[in-house]
Amino acid sequence: MISNFLLKKIMNNFLIIIPTNRETFIKNIYNYYSKTKLQIIVVHNLEKNFDEFKTNNIKFYFSYKKNILERVLDISDKMNTEYSLIFSDDDFVLEESVYRCIDFLNKNPEFSSAQGLCFNFNYENLSSLHNHNGINIDLINRQKDSKIKNIRLFQSLTNRYVDRVYSILKTKCLLDLINSFKPLMKDYRETWELFHIVCLTLKGRDYIDQQIGWLKGQHSNNLHRFEVNDANTWIFDKKFQNLFYDCLRKFSIKQNINNYSFSYLIMIMYIFKFKLILLGKFNVFKNFLHFIRKKRNKKLKNIKKNIFEKYINRIHVVKNILK
């Protein structure tokens, strides 16, 4: 149980930035977050002021920039909280998950990021919000990664892959990440997730709260997926590789990260790329991983049900907003 004092402290020290260019989702943001204590900044490039959706905890800022990360940098002077999270306009973060994650990070400074379990649903099929299978099983019972930097780097790109873009982290660290990534923004912006993961893994450990932390909205015409062309870029484009490692060095200097081997990092990156090739080219490998996942899913069925039942009321809040 978190005390009222700590709740207030967390609210004063945490900010969610939601970049958007989609007017459709503004009302959903208002309907959901206006009923929370979470501090929200919506940064958009739409020719509207959205006065009807402004509240004490939801503010709107205009940026003409097309790139999401550049828009975040445009309002960086407003990011004066200790912790921040860049979040999607069509997803929903649970307030109590924020409390638990920040409380954990405050008590465990060796961890660089934290998030709750992800619950996937489909905008075109809201009945998916009634199904416990929406809970992503990949990180159930995988609460923490290794204390040893080289081992957790291997974990992060193989058996414990976490999209840490959706994690809560220190605001200074987040801004250092974005500023270090600038040389990659124009031609390789799709590699932000990978850069984010590698940098935060070197910075510190990762924590996954074993309760539903956020709801991830999928769209039938644009499901979150990995593009094969991107994999080819990461594997064969020497320009990208040089830029990536140069950006990583910049981040390491900004955050005083040392005592890791670039040679080892390159080796791990190639293992990751090899895994992507196997997934993209060979059905046998894909089917094998599907079989393992199905088996694990069956084993965790009761755990998923128990988690889902605890959060069904929060999930219904989102459903009612989307009706």
Side-chain angles (χ1 to χ4, degrees):
M1 192 75 176
I2 301 176
S3 69
N4 288 332
F5 172 77
L6 183 55
L7 289 181
K8 188 176 180 182
K9 187 179 177 183
I10 286 170
M11 288 305 94
N12 291 335
N13 281 291
F14 176 66
L15 176 68
I16 297 177
I17 305 101
I18 303 179
T20 185
N21 59 1
R22 303 188 288 187
E23 188 178 344
T24 333
F25 295 105
I26 298 290
K27 191 175 179 181
N28 290 344
I29 292 169
Y30 166 78
N31 286 337
Y32 181 75
Y33 290 106
S34 63
K35 296 176 177 67
T36 72
K37 294 183 179 69
L38 298 168
Q39 299 300 311
I40 311 293
I41 285 182
V42 179
V43 55
H44 62 90
N45 60 358
L46 302 163
E47 297 294 335
K48 283 196 171 187
N49 57 26
F50 298 109
D51 283 343
E52 69 271 34
F53 298 125
K54 291 177 183 175
T55 67
N56 288 335
N57 69 319
I58 303 175
K59 295 178 173 60
F60 290 83
Y61 292 95
F62 175 81
S63 168
Y64 69 90
K65 305 280 177 57
K66 289 184 179 179
N67 184 286
I68 284 173
L69 298 176
E70 287 181 334
R71 268 187 250 159
V72 174
L73 288 178
D74 273 357
I75 55 102
S76 60
D77 60 322
K78 310 287 189 298
M79 295 170 64
N80 50 16
T81 54
E82 186 177 0
Y83 293 97
S84 294
L85 169 66
I86 300 175
F87 211 63
S88 177
D89 58 1
D90 56 355
D91 299 336
F92 303 88
V93 65
L94 299 187
E95 196 171 10
E96 59 265 48
S97 176
V98 170
Y99 302 153
R100 287 194 300 271
C101 288
I102 293 180
D103 187 37
F104 180 87
L105 290 172
N106 280 332
K107 293 172 181 174
N108 299 274
E110 72 275 18
F111 284 78
S112 60
S113 62
Q115 64 171 274
L117 295 173
C118 171
F119 183 94
N120 294 293
F121 71 94
N122 193 296
Y123 268 86
E124 285 75 32
N125 177 21
L126 292 182
S127 63
S128 57
L129 286 162
H130 290 277
N131 194 335
H132 68 268
N133 286 324
I135 298 175
N136 186 335
I137 66 163
D138 294 341
L139 297 170
I140 292 178
N141 295 339
R142 292 174 179 166
Q143 194 173 31
K144 301 173 185 177
D145 55 5
S146 175
K147 293 178 182 179
I148 302 167
K149 194 178 290 183
N150 282 343
I151 293 176
R152 68 171 180 260
L153 189 59
F154 180 84
Q155 290 174 325
S156 70
L157 296 179
T158 53
N159 68 315
R160 196 185 178 279
Y161 185 89
V162 181
D163 188 351
R164 290 172 83 167
V165 169
Y166 292 92
S167 291
I168 294 167
L169 59 150
K170 296 262 186 171
T171 301
K172 184 184 183 308
C173 183
L174 177 59
L175 290 173
D176 283 348
L177 268 167
I178 299 173
N179 280 309
S180 300
F181 187 72
K182 275 181 180 178
L184 288 163
M185 276 186 196
K186 184 181 176 183
D187 297 324
Y188 305 105
R189 63 182 179 275
E190 72 280 358
T191 64
W192 166 243
E193 181 182 318
L194 179 65
F195 184 74
H196 205 98
I197 290 168
V198 172
C199 287
L200 287 182
T201 302
L202 293 173
K203 171 67 179 169
R205 300 177 67 190
D206 178 57
Y207 174 73
I208 303 295
D209 181 52
Q210 295 295 293
Q211 303 295 329
I212 295 174
W214 55 291
L215 280 67
K216 185 174 186 177
Q218 307 275 14
H219 303 270
S220 298
N221 62 343
N222 186 28
L223 292 175
H224 296 266
R225 63 188 180 272
F226 182 79
E227 296 181 10
V228 176
N229 288 339
D230 295 343
N232 290 337
T233 297
W234 299 353
I235 295 163
F236 301 116
D237 190 332
K238 200 69 184 171
K239 180 188 170 186
F240 160 72
Q241 291 174 8
N242 290 336
L243 274 176
F244 185 91
Y245 295 123
D246 187 49
C247 290
L248 183 56
R249 284 187 188 94
K250 287 177 184 173
F251 176 77
S252 301
I253 292 167
K254 289 175 187 288
Q255 286 288 312
N256 298 315
I257 300 169
N258 48 41
N259 194 28
Y260 67 91
S261 162
F262 264 99
S263 301
Y264 179 76
L265 175 60
I266 290 167
M267 182 184 78
I268 297 301
M269 291 280 282
Y270 270 90
I271 291 172
F272 175 61
K273 292 167 185 176
F274 183 62
K275 182 185 83 170
L276 293 176
I277 291 174
L278 288 176
L279 279 170
K281 306 270 186 183
F282 299 99
N283 285 332
V284 176
F285 186 69
K286 195 184 292 183
N287 292 338
F288 173 71
L289 289 184
H290 179 69
F291 170 75
I292 297 295
R293 185 178 173 81
K294 195 174 176 183
K295 200 172 177 182
R296 189 166 189 266
N297 196 23
K298 192 175 178 181
K299 187 179 176 183
L300 296 172
K301 187 177 180 181
N302 289 333
I303 294 175
K304 285 203 315 182
K305 274 186 176 178
N306 291 337
I307 295 172
F308 179 75
E309 284 168 7
K310 283 171 64 177
Y311 284 86
I312 194 162
N313 290 337
R314 278 78 143 198
I315 292 169
H316 281 169
V317 168
V318 172
K319 187 181 178 184
N320 290 334
I321 286 170
L322 299 177
K323 278 182 179 177

